[in-house]
Amino acid sequence: MKISIARGELLDALSTVSRGLSSRTTLPILSGIHVSTTSASVVFQATDLEVSIKTSCQARVDESGQSVLPGKLLTDIVRSLPEAGITIETTGAGSAKITCGQSVFTMRTLSPEDYPKFPEISAEETVSLPTEQFSHIVHQVSRSVSRDETRPILTGILVVVDQNTLRMVATDSYRLCVKEVVVSGLSGGIELVVPGKAIEDVAKLVGSSESVSLGVSENQVVFTFGNTTFISRRIEGTFPNYRQLLPKEYVTRVVIDRVELLEAVKRVSLMAQHNSPIRLSVNTAEHTLRLSAAAQDIGEANEDIQAVPEGEDVEIAFSHAYLLDGVAVAEGDTIALEVTSPLKPGVIKNVEGDDFAYLLMPVRIG
Amino acid sequence: MDTPHTTWPGRAVLHVDMDAFFASIEQLDHPEWRGLPVIVGGSATTRGVVSTASYEARRYGVHSAMPSAQAARLCPDAIWAPSRFDRYHEVSRAVVAVFERLTPFVQQVSVDEAYLDVTPTAHRPTHPLEVARTIQAEVDAMGLSCSIGVATCKTVAKIASDADKPHGITVVRPGDEAAFLAPMSVRALPGVGAATAERLRVAGIRTLGELAGLDDGSALQLMGSSGQELVRRARGIDDRPVHDPDAVKSVSNEHTFGTDVRTRAEIETALKKLVERVSERLRRKGLQGRTATVKLRYADFTTRTVRHTAALPMDLASDLLPVALRLLEDTWTPGAGLRLLGFGVSGFGERSEQLDLFTANAEDDTERSRALVDSIDAVRARFGSGAIRLGMHDAGPEPEEE
């Protein structure tokens, strides 16, 4: 095999498939990137057996063939090279030579026969989603994905396509984020749970592609964008019924400037150490929302911000990290915080519309 | 004696000590016992001790903590009354209510004694002696009696309250502390026990005046780390505030068995009772602690203490009991006879708990069980702790508060 590719395109392709590289040392072949040729392009693949990624780019193919090159090393080399043409050539005894200008690298290769075959998926359902909306929703809900492997279903994001809406939900059992958008031209119904890390990687990779298509088979989900195919396993099991968790009413609602609240939460959090919570007190008479935090033997912080309250005065405490995430991913200049009781979930919402909700369970304090 | 017409510079602390409190309550509730020797405590037939003796019984030489059998020999005609702690607590609360009408700074240290900070202020210029007289008159009106020490600090007030018992008021003016303490035995100072007193005696120190003259080095050598503080107190210097909220480091109860117990059922029943009592006291004080301690004293007087620190602060008996039983399981050798069992909770902090979306039902359970114990507390506050019990209790003596 002998191929020549522009450095920029090669780096893009390698960076994309690198997200599929395995860090498991028990299967050394999975640390490699599989490279193969067609008539005028090169195909790159990587897999850790959880996800499989394939992408291609234009190239001058002087000699067809295939090889498996050490993924991280190859990517690091290409990243360090100047913007020029790069030639990759396999030599006889299981090695490859990478040449760019005066730089020459040779490296051992792995056997392409040992490399897992790229999964063939026949999607039962496929929808096409605008990249921008897709990435934005993933960014919003992914912070609420659980990192705790003991409840696998919560390490995923629930993706629902229902008529012409796309909805994603994630929860780590302390907070829950749900976001819904209307996408014109959608049809069909899809409901599946995708591993949080996989869908986050897709959202980062879609980049300049106009749309991302999502296909579902029995056990797997395939995302297609540009020249890239990204396949992930689905998470088995039933996602919690988030609808019944959403409070139907509220006792207190405050409308607040989002950025002002975000900055205040960041400041007051400095005093909320060791997971001590931030207290929020709504004063309807004064039209204020007070944030306070105290750290034993250290000190305390207080900040009043202007708010438009409705309902009763209330005091509720939240984990500062969860509160910060919620305010950060909410959109718009102003947001609403709705509370029913100090022991029931608080909800951060858009001031108008029900397309976004970030539920967070309070911290019970004495 | 001081008169209310001279001003009182600086801090004023009262120590109010009820006179023969339990026995006085028994005489109040049984008018036919008034003027007769009354002994409250375990009867002479078991291995009990005298809890309180009325002044009539004290004339025979009976005193608190004396073995019941000895008391029975000294005063064969005494009327023996079993302890009724519910009743004593009820009266105690009524007495504390009198204090609280006079000053917000009340620190109750046990069922029958309390410190009050009555430092005269612009808003409440009443002379401390006047406050003491008011308290004594109100306690008299309840059919009880108390002795009061008036001083500038807790140590001196406490010693003063004991100087003229029963029904006395002893005032130690600011500046007179050292002179007041000097002739007293070192045993009068709280914190000096029999062992310390013996070490001091060997060193030729019998009075507080002699103790007050000790230098830091000798104090450390004779009495260890607390030595310097004891010398300061012997000089009448004690800055401890009344009602220091941090003073509560632990809440614990102990029970000394009338006869050694060795069956699992008996010990677990006693432990459950202690846990419930501690839990109730924690909730009354609004405290939650993360560390649970079980104390065992075997028949041969060896004592074991084991503790466990949980992730979350606890105050409910339903949370504390499994921890207590596990500690017992880890420590007690089945069949070993126990003299004393104790349970305590410490490690108090602000209680906070991240709630979970999916255990909302479990949350409701917690709320329900909390509502249940709140109701039980309310019933007990009104009708006494014997008014409502868990089904597993057998009838037995109430544990003593520590």
Side-chain angles (χ1 to χ4, degrees):
Chain A
M1 182 183 77
K2 185 179 178 187
I3 51 178
S4 298
I5 317 175
R7 182 257 182 192
E9 286 182 37
L10 177 58
L11 183 58
D12 279 352
L14 292 174
S15 302
T16 297
V17 295
S18 286
R19 293 193 180 266
L21 286 176
S22 171
S23 50
R24 279 186 292 186
T25 50
T26 46
L27 285 169
I29 190 76
L30 299 186
S31 68
I33 290 174
H34 184 279
V35 185
S36 59
T37 56
T38 66
S39 58
S41 71
V42 180
V43 180
F44 301 88
Q45 295 173 34
T47 180
D48 60 4
L49 305 179
E50 296 260 316
V51 300
S52 302
I53 308 171
K54 179 162 78 176
T55 192
S56 62
C57 65
Q58 296 288 312
R60 199 182 80 207
V61 179
D62 293 328
E63 203 178 294
S64 65
Q66 57 174 337
S67 183
V68 177
L69 291 100
K72 182 164 187 309
L73 182 60
L74 177 64
T75 310
D76 287 347
I77 289 169
V78 172
R79 186 176 290 117
S80 74
L81 289 172
E83 201 57 60
I86 294 174
T87 303
I88 302 175
E89 188 178 4
T90 52
T91 56
S95 65
K97 185 164 82 175
I98 290 119
T99 317
C100 177
Q102 301 304 110
S103 307
V104 179
F105 293 85
T106 54
M107 61 180 72
R108 294 274 184 86
T109 58
L110 299 154
S111 162
E113 285 76 38
D114 295 342
Y115 206 81
K117 198 169 172 303
F118 199 80
E120 292 287 330
I121 303 269
S122 53
E124 292 150 16
E125 292 279 351
T126 303
V127 292
S128 180
L129 306 166
T131 300
E132 208 169 301
Q133 280 174 313
F134 172 84
S135 298
H136 184 61
I137 304 182
V138 171
H139 166 72
Q140 283 181 300
V141 302
S142 60
R143 290 209 208 184
S144 298
V145 170
S146 172
R147 312 289 161 196
D148 178 2
E149 298 290 334
T150 56
R151 285 191 73 184
I153 193 77
L154 300 188
T155 64
I157 292 179
L158 174 70
V159 180
V160 181
V161 175
D162 182 14
Q163 298 182 341
N164 57 352
T165 61
L166 165 68
R167 187 182 317 122
M168 292 194 198
V169 189
T171 177
D172 60 6
S173 87
Y174 302 117
R175 65 269 181 72
L176 179 146
C177 187
V178 50
K179 170 70 183 173
E180 194 173 276
V181 287
V182 174
V183 180
S184 54
L186 270 190
S187 64
I190 284 179
E191 182 161 336
L192 78 160
V193 181
V194 183
K197 172 150 189 325
I199 202 166
E200 280 180 73
D201 280 346
V202 172
K204 282 175 194 145
L205 294 174
V206 285
S208 56
S209 315
E210 214 166 86
S211 68
V212 51
S213 118
L214 188 159
V216 184
S217 78
E218 195 185 340
N219 300 315
Q220 286 170 308
V221 54
V222 52
F223 297 92
T224 318
F225 47 94
N227 296 327
T228 306
T229 303
F230 189 118
I231 297 173
S232 166
R233 69 180 173 90
R234 296 170 56 168
I235 299 182
E236 302 290 319
T238 310
F239 199 82
N241 182 353
Y242 65 94
R243 284 179 201 278
Q244 74 180 28
L245 297 172
L246 294 169
K248 312 267 178 304
E249 50 203 7
Y250 58 84
V251 172
T252 308
R253 173 182 159 106
V254 269
V255 174
I256 325 136
D257 183 284
R258 190 176 72 85
V259 174
E260 199 181 340
L261 179 60
L262 186 68
E263 296 302 319
V265 171
K266 282 181 186 166
R267 278 189 288 270
V268 174
S269 293
L270 295 172
M271 207 46 94
Q273 300 181 350
H274 306 299
N275 292 324
S276 73
I278 288 191
R279 283 172 201 247
L280 303 185
S281 316
V282 177
N283 185 325
T284 51
E286 306 262 331
H287 280 226
T288 55
L289 173 69
R290 159 163 291 203
L291 287 77
S292 59
Q296 210 172 4
D297 301 330
I298 295 171
E300 55 182 77
N302 287 290
E303 183 158 348
D304 285 345
I305 57 177
Q306 283 301 308
V308 183
E310 178 192 326
E312 300 169 12
D313 283 3
V314 73
E315 190 169 300
I316 190 166
F318 296 116
S319 143
H320 65 90
Y322 298 160
L323 179 62
L324 190 65
D325 280 351
V327 180
V329 301
E331 45 203 355
D333 296 338
T334 53
I335 53 170
L337 171 68
E338 296 177 0
V339 174
T340 27
S341 102
L343 297 178
K344 296 267 157 57
V347 191
I348 294 170
K349 284 184 167 178
N350 291 337
V351 175
E352 284 159 19
D354 284 329
D355 57 332
F356 172 85
Y358 182 90
L359 258 78
L360 72 168
M361 275 310 270
V363 170
R364 186 213 298 269
I365 47 176
Chain B
M1 258 267 168
D2 200 4
T3 72
H5 303 293
T6 58
T7 57
W8 184 282
R11 214 152 75 97
V13 175
L14 304 189
H15 181 256
V16 183
D17 195 10
M18 301 302 291
D19 299 323
F21 188 51
F22 299 171
S24 300
I25 293 171
E26 294 302 335
Q27 288 176 321
L28 180 69
D29 292 351
H30 303 89
E32 67 279 14
W33 293 352
R34 289 178 196 169
L36 300 174
V38 174
I39 299 175
V40 178
S43 81
T45 51
T46 65
R47 194 170 59 197
V49 292
V50 173
S51 179
T52 314
S54 73
Y55 280 88
E56 294 82 0
R58 290 184 196 198
R59 278 200 285 276
Y60 293 88
V62 177
H63 56 76
S64 299
M66 173 182 280
S68 296
Q70 191 188 348
R73 278 196 305 279
L74 289 169
C75 185
D77 298 331
I79 296 160
W80 288 83
S83 302
R84 294 185 298 146
F85 288 102
D86 296 348
R87 173 68 178 143
Y88 308 152
H89 280 291
E90 181 188 335
V91 177
S92 176
R93 279 193 290 275
V95 174
V96 170
V98 169
F99 304 159
E100 286 173 344
R101 280 203 298 277
L102 296 167
T103 170
F105 309 109
V106 178
Q107 180 184 0
Q108 191 176 9
V109 285
S110 76
V111 69
D112 62 350
E113 57 177 314
Y115 292 104
L116 284 68
D117 188 321
V118 293
T119 305
T121 63
H123 294 288
R124 212 182 45 240
T126 321
H127 193 278
L129 177 56
E130 194 62 34
V131 179
R133 285 179 180 158
T134 306
I135 287 171
Q136 199 171 52
E138 294 220 16
V139 170
D140 287 348
M142 295 170 74
L144 298 164
S145 171
C146 66
S147 298
I148 304 176
V150 185
T152 54
C153 67
K154 286 166 120 178
T155 298
V156 178
K158 171 144 174 104
I159 294 171
S161 72
D162 203 38
D164 183 20
K165 257 184 163 304
H167 207 257
I169 295 179
T170 303
V171 181
V172 181
R173 292 269 320 158
D176 296 347
E177 295 87 358
F180 168 75
L181 297 174
M184 298 200 168
S185 155
V186 291
R187 287 298 301 273
L189 188 67
V192 177
T196 308
E198 177 57 22
R199 273 200 302 283
L200 291 170
R201 191 189 63 78
V202 170
I205 295 164
R206 290 158 195 273
T207 67
L208 290 176
E210 289 160 354
L211 182 59
L214 221 55
D215 63 86
D216 286 355
S218 316
L220 190 68
Q221 198 183 344
L222 279 168
M223 296 173 288
S225 55
S226 59
Q228 293 171 21
E229 184 57 31
L230 286 175
V231 169
R232 277 168 54 81
R233 296 207 183 143
R235 293 170 186 163
I237 305 164
D238 174 6
D239 304 327
R240 288 176 300 160
V242 170
H243 198 77
D244 180 3
D246 292 335
V248 184
K249 294 274 194 286
S250 73
V251 172
S252 63
N253 281 54
E254 297 186 349
H255 180 68
T256 306
F257 298 104
T259 49
D260 293 347
V261 294
R262 44 187 81 248
T263 71
R264 183 182 298 272
E266 280 176 304
I267 295 172
E268 287 188 353
T269 303
L271 186 59
K272 277 172 197 155
K273 226 181 277 186
L274 288 168
V275 167
E276 226 188 283
R277 176 63 72 90
V278 168
S279 160
E280 190 192 330
R281 288 175 60 207
L282 286 170
R283 294 193 304 275
R284 203 164 61 213
K285 292 171 195 280
L287 293 170
Q288 287 195 322
R290 289 177 52 204
T291 302
T293 307
V294 168
K295 178 173 167 184
L296 306 176
R297 180 168 296 146
Y298 293 102
D300 64 358
F301 277 91
T302 56
T303 305
R304 286 282 314 271
T305 306
V306 281
R307 66 193 68 227
H308 172 77
T309 299
L312 290 173
M314 304 170 284
D315 67 346
L316 294 179
S318 56
D319 292 338
L320 292 167
L321 188 60
V323 179
L325 288 173
R326 202 167 61 239
L327 287 171
L328 177 72
E329 186 66 27
D330 292 348
T331 316
W332 178 64
T333 316
L338 284 189
R339 251 190 105 74
L340 175 146
L341 185 64
F343 177 73
V345 171
S346 55
F348 305 121
E350 184 180 72
R351 67 186 195 196
S352 68
E353 176 191 357
Q354 171 67 54
L355 304 179
D356 187 301
L357 281 164
F358 304 116
T359 48
N361 290 331
E363 276 311 315
D364 287 347
D365 285 350
T366 311
E367 274 172 52
R368 266 200 295 277
S369 65
R370 191 163 283 279
L372 174 67
V373 296
D374 285 349
S375 311
I376 292 174
D377 287 349
V379 170
R380 285 180 175 161
R382 194 152 168 205
F383 302 108
S385 73
I388 185 164
R389 292 180 171 195
L390 288 185
M392 300 192 70
H393 281 330
D394 66 353
E398 285 295 307
E400 196 94 43
E401 277 183 22
E402 196 184 54

